[in-house]
Amino acid sequence: MTRLAGLRSLLPSWRDYGSARRTWRGDVVAGVTVGIVALPLALAFGVSSGAGAESGIVTAIVAGVVAAVFGGSNVQVSGPTGAMVVVLGPIVAARGPGVVALVSVMAGLVVLAGGALRLGRIVSFIPWPVIEGFTLGIAVIIFLQQVPAAIGTSPGPSSNAVVSAVQAALTTTPASVIGPLVAVVAVAVVMLVAPRIHRNLPGSLLAIVVVSAVVALTGLHLPRIGALPGHLPAPSLPVFSVATVSELVGPALTVAALAAIESLLSARVASSLADTGPYDADRELVGQGLASVASGLFGGMPATGAIARTAVNVRAGGRSRISAIVHAAVLLGVVSLAATVVSQVPLAALSGVLMVTAARMISVATVRSVAGSSRSDAAVFVITAVVTVSFDLIVAVGVGIAVAAFFALRQLASSGGVHREEIPGEAHEGDDHIAVFRLDGALIFGAADRMLDRVTRITGVTVVIVRLSQLEVLDATGARVISEMVTTLERRGVTVLLKGIQPRHLRLATRVGVVAALRHRNHLFDDFDLALEHARSHADPGR
């Protein structure tokens, strides 16, 4: 692939809309459906992050269009998500909502660079138990973050969701709990009942409409979203200084990592939901990076691919990028025509939407599947979930990958073995002074010393043949141990012959000193019969 062709593959093309003539009607219907579903989520995620409802709706509109046009998936729907809210919450609490737009631009540039550098396939290195543990942890945090609003109090001073929820619960009073809690329960009931009446009913939107109407008619005093603009703000560069940018490098990298991981996972899942065409992981990073940059320029927050809204899009008939663009247009229409109405939505109703959304993120069947797969996978799943809730999302992914790698390496190391073999064929005089060992599987750090101990303990022999043709994996530690084994045995007067070292291992073995440790270069054999004949010449000097 030439550089020009590689660049073109990351940019929009008319080919992206090749199926639009066939699918545009379904795309429009799906876009309207997703727009209706996305409205309450965009508002709720904006409020929950601390950036405000306006930020959430702006992100859904601007990032939704940009990611749809520039992204690598035909059906991905992008905007604010629960995982991003979890990361942004502590940043807003520490530095205020004014930094969100700048963080969005900085993180978007990092994600954009990742796409340009072709890092899109990196998500394939994240094990499934890590992804599910990470998702479970996010769901728990989102749910706990809504507890203060659901019981009519302010969040606790702690930045940890568990501690903050407990602190909030300890400061509430019975009188302040009743109104918000009733609103939350009503929202949950409507969201759970609506799909049973008809699967296409937008439960979250119906719940908000019903609860908002009841609150308005009864005159309940519940905190509302507040004033929203009737149009998109004009784009502008976020205010920044060198000092501010340097302080936000860490948070921006965290946001960028999360945006990349979540978007790529969502795009990968979307490609398997229906025949929507393949997705380009590198282009998806470019699209998501540009989406976050654009969102920040309009005063929004960082965006990612949203798997729930993407799934709704596909199930509703979306098959091209048109559906995601229509979804953004629907949200823009709401901002332009119904901002005053939306501003009266109770915050408790949005908390109810997010609580139900968090609960739906947890699949009991998936948890059982992971927990029942193997002890190591179950441990990775639980550790990742606990670290997510206790510390940080990105730290949790790193810890989860490290733990998964440990178990994988331990399993790989255990696959290696050293076996003493009988000399095949008719016995010859002196054969009892020859020992044949076969190494197979993996000889890597963590397993190499076991092989060294087994072979070097041999006594009563003058020649050792080590068969290496079935050795699948060899690292520098394993090669070094073979070298030490040869040196130890040769020092005791035992001749060592190596048979069948694979060409892909020979270069490493030579560099580490395995070949140099042999008494003669001709003690390296490709054929076992020749090695055995040479061994017999050493074991029976009279030959």
Side-chain angles (χ1 to χ4, degrees):
M1 181 185 291
T2 65
R3 289 186 178 181
L4 182 58
L7 178 61
R8 284 177 177 171
S9 69
L10 298 177
L11 298 175
S13 164
W14 288 112
R15 291 190 297 273
D16 297 337
Y17 306 92
S19 65
R21 289 185 178 181
R22 297 184 288 105
T23 66
W24 71 268
R25 290 182 179 84
D27 292 329
V28 170
V29 172
V32 172
T33 303
V34 179
I36 293 171
V37 171
L39 175 60
L41 292 176
L43 295 170
F45 288 139
V47 171
S48 185
S49 70
E54 178 185 352
S55 179
I57 201 75
V58 165
T59 303
I61 296 169
V62 176
V65 170
V66 174
V69 173
F70 289 91
S73 169
N74 290 326
V75 292
Q76 177 97 291
V77 178
S78 301
T81 62
M84 189 58 69
V85 165
V86 171
V87 170
L88 283 178
I91 297 174
V92 173
R95 297 176 174 85
V99 302
V100 172
L102 180 57
V103 169
S104 183
V105 172
M106 292 172 63
L109 291 174
V110 173
V111 176
L112 175 61
L117 293 173
R118 303 282 178 177
L119 300 179
R121 295 296 173 186
I122 197 169
V123 73
S124 63
F125 293 99
I126 303 178
W128 177 52
V130 173
I131 294 171
E132 295 302 334
F134 161 83
T135 303
L136 175 60
I138 289 172
V140 171
I141 292 174
I142 292 173
F143 188 92
L144 292 174
Q145 284 179 337
Q146 309 314 309
V147 169
I151 59 178
T153 187
S154 300
S158 175
S159 60
N160 181 271
V162 179
V163 177
S164 179
V166 173
Q167 291 171 336
L170 293 175
T171 61
T172 192
T173 61
S176 66
V177 169
I178 297 175
L181 195 57
V182 168
V184 168
V185 172
V187 166
V189 170
V190 174
M191 289 183 67
L192 294 175
V193 171
R196 298 187 179 185
I197 298 173
H198 194 287
R199 70 172 192 166
N200 291 330
L201 283 177
S204 57
L205 183 63
L206 281 177
I208 284 181
V209 169
V210 170
V211 171
S212 298
V214 171
V215 169
L217 292 173
T218 59
L220 284 176
H221 296 290
L222 294 179
R224 314 295 174 91
I225 287 177
L228 290 173
H231 55 81
L232 284 178
S236 63
L237 281 175
V239 177
F240 69 93
S241 65
V242 174
T244 305
V245 170
S246 61
E247 289 178 4
L248 294 176
V249 167
L253 290 175
T254 299
V255 168
L258 176 62
I261 291 170
E262 189 173 18
S263 297
L264 292 174
L265 289 176
S266 177
R268 187 170 69 180
V269 171
S271 68
S272 66
L273 293 176
D275 184 18
T276 59
Y279 76 99
D280 185 323
D282 298 318
R283 183 177 165 186
E284 183 63 25
L285 289 184
V286 170
Q288 293 296 338
L290 291 173
S292 287
V293 170
S295 176
L297 294 178
F298 279 86
M301 55 197 280
T304 74
I307 183 58
R309 275 157 276 173
T310 301
V312 170
N313 182 31
V314 174
R315 287 198 296 265
R319 292 297 181 271
S320 80
R321 299 164 190 268
I322 291 175
S323 58
I325 296 172
V326 170
H327 131 272
V330 169
L331 294 175
L332 179 59
V334 171
V335 169
S336 303
L337 303 176
T340 303
V341 175
V342 174
S343 68
Q344 298 304 307
V345 173
L347 293 178
L350 297 181
S351 293
V353 169
L354 289 187
M355 282 182 159
V356 175
T357 300
R360 287 174 172 171
M361 289 174 65
I362 303 173
S363 168
V364 176
T366 300
V367 172
R368 287 176 178 171
S369 180
V370 178
S373 56
S374 69
R375 289 183 178 180
S376 59
D377 287 332
V380 171
F381 170 72
V382 172
I383 290 171
T384 304
V386 170
V387 174
T388 299
V389 175
S390 304
F391 298 99
D392 178 82
L393 295 181
I394 304 304
V395 171
V397 172
V399 170
I401 291 174
V403 174
F406 166 77
F407 284 123
L409 286 172
R410 190 179 72 167
Q411 185 174 7
L412 181 63
S414 65
S415 70
V418 53
H419 313 277
R420 185 167 182 179
E421 295 183 330
E422 296 294 329
I423 297 176
E426 183 180 348
H428 288 64
E429 186 177 353
D431 280 1
D432 54 339
H433 295 294
I434 300 173
V436 179
F437 289 94
R438 184 187 83 249
L439 305 185
D440 55 21
L443 187 60
I444 61 174
F445 68 94
D449 286 342
R450 176 162 44 96
M451 184 280 296
L452 175 65
D453 183 64
R454 171 77 187 279
V455 176
T456 55
R457 279 189 179 186
I458 190 73
T459 59
V461 300
T462 57
V463 183
V464 169
I465 302 174
V466 182
R467 305 182 71 170
L468 302 171
S469 58
Q470 296 185 44
L471 195 62
E472 296 296 330
V473 181
L474 179 69
D475 70 354
T477 302
R480 183 62 182 171
V481 166
I482 294 176
S483 175
E484 291 175 2
M485 175 198 69
V486 173
T487 301
T488 300
L489 291 175
E490 291 284 359
R491 190 180 296 122
R492 286 167 38 191
V494 178
T495 301
V496 179
L497 310 179
L498 300 182
K499 178 267 167 186
I501 188 167
Q502 298 184 40
R504 60 194 173 103
H505 297 154
L506 183 58
R507 184 178 180 184
L508 173 62
T510 302
R511 287 185 171 183
V512 173
V514 174
V515 177
L518 295 171
R519 188 178 304 175
H520 298 293
R521 172 78 187 194
N522 62 358
H523 285 180
L524 195 63
F525 295 88
D526 292 325
D527 183 81
F528 179 76
D529 291 337
L530 294 178
L532 180 59
E533 182 180 353
H534 192 86
R536 283 169 173 163
S537 70
H538 281 274
D540 183 11
R543 290 184 64 188

